[in-house]
């Protein structure tokens, strides 16, 4: 059981990691290492999330999950009414919770315990969402093996105490992502069967999948390794499916059955920082039918919300940014938004400070062009 002093040390250590981690993958690796010093556990799943959907995106880190369970992890999250679902933690305002505490020490009441934890030798789970200002930027699930003590309320409090620090760091890494150059590639198409196995993919999809970061900590035994059926007219796919695509397929089935609002859509970045968008939909008359996934370069309308959210702009500041991007003057912005020119100037000053720029041109470049403006010299690509 962590003491108050241990909780303070953990918080200080996580803050140091958040301030010095070079990227999202390093952040999760070092947070995991520090947290284990104060909160022992035997396995873990860590995911950065798209704040609009809570779907997994980069970075990702998986430790101690057996082959085949990554797929069912997301299927259960969207399709099974269970204890401590991430979306429920997000809505509750309580960022961390343990399974045995939530079930009054009767974990068999949870389908996730019966079908996911127990078969792998785990006997308890501590889940957390990393949120700041009401927006969730990442999630984790920590596992303890059978024979180990159950997670305590104090340990949940320890994780809750560092959740906003981790969330802010994840948000910062989104805001500071490296500008990318658009690859002149057509949309990729994947087809999954009713059991979640990949049936076919075109060449473009294979290339896009190779560009999507699965996270450097994934081991072959914990990935969804696939083999393309021989009748498909393309080369074999030799890489594991990213967790983000697995979760998207599960989300599509949940949308089809009415468990989640649609559409099943995910924004994510490639290894070189390029923003992509993936869409998934069920085919046929039931959720057990095939699911198609399309992966393509993101348009500005796809990426704008997540980039603006990453800088923690207020709703009014976002309105001002959109007006600046359209080239409106302060006087025109004041008229359009029913504000005084003085108030508009205050908003612009606040926006500049948050984004770290000193001019409107720099602001537009930082929020829009540097992240997803399409290079006009790329042949065959049209600007959004």
């Amino acid at each position: 059981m962590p003491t108050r002093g241990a909780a303070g040390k953990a918080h200080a250590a996580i803050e140091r990691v958040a301030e010095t981690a070079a990227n999202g993958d390093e952040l999760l690796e070092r947070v995991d290492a520090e947290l284990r010093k104060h909160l022992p556990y035997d396995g873990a799943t860590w995911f950065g999330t798209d704040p609009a959907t809570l779907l997994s995106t980069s970075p990702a880190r998986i430790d101690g999950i057996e082959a085949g369970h990554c797929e069912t992890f997301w299927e259960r999250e969207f399709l099974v009414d269970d204890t401590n679902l991430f979306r429920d933690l997000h809505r509750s305002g309580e960022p961390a919770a343990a399974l045995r505490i939530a079930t009054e020490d009767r974990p068999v009441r949870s389908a996730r315990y019966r079908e996911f934890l127990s078969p792998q030798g785990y006997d308890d789970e501590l889940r957390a969402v990393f949120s700041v200002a009401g927006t969730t930027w990442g999630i984790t699930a920590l596992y303890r093996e059978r024979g180990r003590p159950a997670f305590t309320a104090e340990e949940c409090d320890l994780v809750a105490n560092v959740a906003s620090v981790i969330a802010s760091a994840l948000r910062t890494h989104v805001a500071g992502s490296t500008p990318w150059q658009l690859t002149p590639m057509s949309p990729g198409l994947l087809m999954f069967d009713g059991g979640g196995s990949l049936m076919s993919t075109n060449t473009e999809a294979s290339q896009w999948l190779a560009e999507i970061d699965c996270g450097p900590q994934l081991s072959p035994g914990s990935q969804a390794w696939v083999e393309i059926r021989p009748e498909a007219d393309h080369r074999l796919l030799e890489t594991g499916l990213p967790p983000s695509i697995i979760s998207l397929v599960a989300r599509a089935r949940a949308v089809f059955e009415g468990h989640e609002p649609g559409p099943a859509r995910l924004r994510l970045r490639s290894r070189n920082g390029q923003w992509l968008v993936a869409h998934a939909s069920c085919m046929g008359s039931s959720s057990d039918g095939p699911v198609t996934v399309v992966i393509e370069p993101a348009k500005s309308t796809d990426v704008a919300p997540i980039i603006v959210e990453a800088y923690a702009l207020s709703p009014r500041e976002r309105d001002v940014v959109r007006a600046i991007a359209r080239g409106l003057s302060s006087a025109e912005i004041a008229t359009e938004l029913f504000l005084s020119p003085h108030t508009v100037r205050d908003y612009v000053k606040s926006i500049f400070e948050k984004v770290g720029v000193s001019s409107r041109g720099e602001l537009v470049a930082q929020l829009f062009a540097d992240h997803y403006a399409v290079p006009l010299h790329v042949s065959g690509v049209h600007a959004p």
Side-chain angles (χ1 to χ4, degrees), residues 281-335:
S281 58
C282 288
M283 310 297 289
S285 58
S286 75
S287 62
D288 294 331
V291 174
T292 59
V293 175
V294 175
I295 306 173
E296 59 187 345
K299 299 177 182 178
S300 61
T301 51
D302 297 316
V303 183
I306 191 171
I307 294 300
V308 173
E309 186 73 40
Y311 285 99
L313 302 182
S314 70
R316 212 47 163 163
E317 287 171 341
R318 297 177 201 179
D319 293 337
V320 172
V321 166
R322 283 191 286 268
I324 290 174
R326 288 161 46 210
L328 300 188
S329 66
S330 293
E332 291 169 329
I333 295 172
T335 299

Side-chain angles (χ1 to χ4, degrees), residues 5 44 98 147 170 210 232 236 263 291 312 324-325 351 358 377:
L170 287 168
L236 293 181
V291 174
I324 290 174
I351 292 166
S358 58
H377 66 273

Side-chain angles (χ1 to χ4, degrees), residues 218-369:
L218 291 176
S219 64
S222 64
Q223 293 187 44
W225 290 83
V226 295
E227 182 178 78
I228 307 305
R229 295 183 179 178
E231 63 267 23
D233 184 21
H234 50 68
R235 64 183 178 82
L236 293 181
L237 180 64
E238 297 177 346
T239 183
L241 285 175
S244 51
I245 300 301
I246 296 171
S247 69
L248 185 65
V249 172
R251 176 65 177 260
R253 299 192 190 282
V255 169
F256 187 92
E257 293 186 359
H259 296 297
E260 292 286 335
R265 198 162 164 274
L266 175 67
R267 299 162 294 188
L268 68 165
R269 294 208 307 275
S270 67
R271 296 178 189 275
N272 68 354
Q274 178 173 353
W275 281 101
L276 310 174
V277 62
H279 316 259
S281 58
C282 288
M283 310 297 289
S285 58
S286 75
S287 62
D288 294 331
V291 174
T292 59
V293 175
V294 175
I295 306 173
E296 59 187 345
K299 299 177 182 178
S300 61
T301 51
D302 297 316
V303 183
I306 191 171
I307 294 300
V308 173
E309 186 73 40
Y311 285 99
L313 302 182
S314 70
R316 212 47 163 163
E317 287 171 341
R318 297 177 201 179
D319 293 337
V320 172
V321 166
R322 283 191 286 268
I324 290 174
R326 288 161 46 210
L328 300 188
S329 66
S330 293
E332 291 169 329
I333 295 172
T335 299
E336 180 171 287
L337 300 181
F338 302 100
L339 300 171
S340 71
H342 177 74
T343 301
V344 172
R345 285 194 292 272
D346 286 342
Y347 276 127
V348 172
K349 180 181 178 181
S350 174
I351 292 166
F352 282 6
E353 291 176 349
K354 288 183 177 180
V355 180
V357 297
S358 58
S359 71
R360 293 186 178 208
E362 290 177 6
L363 174 69
V364 173
Q366 181 72 9
L367 290 182
F368 299 96

Side-chain angles (χ1 to χ4, degrees), residues 205-217:
S206 299
Q207 293 172 330
W208 282 125
L209 287 175
E211 289 297 317
I212 297 174
D213 197 349
C214 292
Q217 305 304 324

Side-chain angles (χ1 to χ4, degrees), residues 41 80 106 122 145 176 225 253 263 315:
Y41 49 88
V80 179
R106 288 182 284 178
Y122 294 124
E145 294 176 348
W225 290 83
R253 299 192 190 282

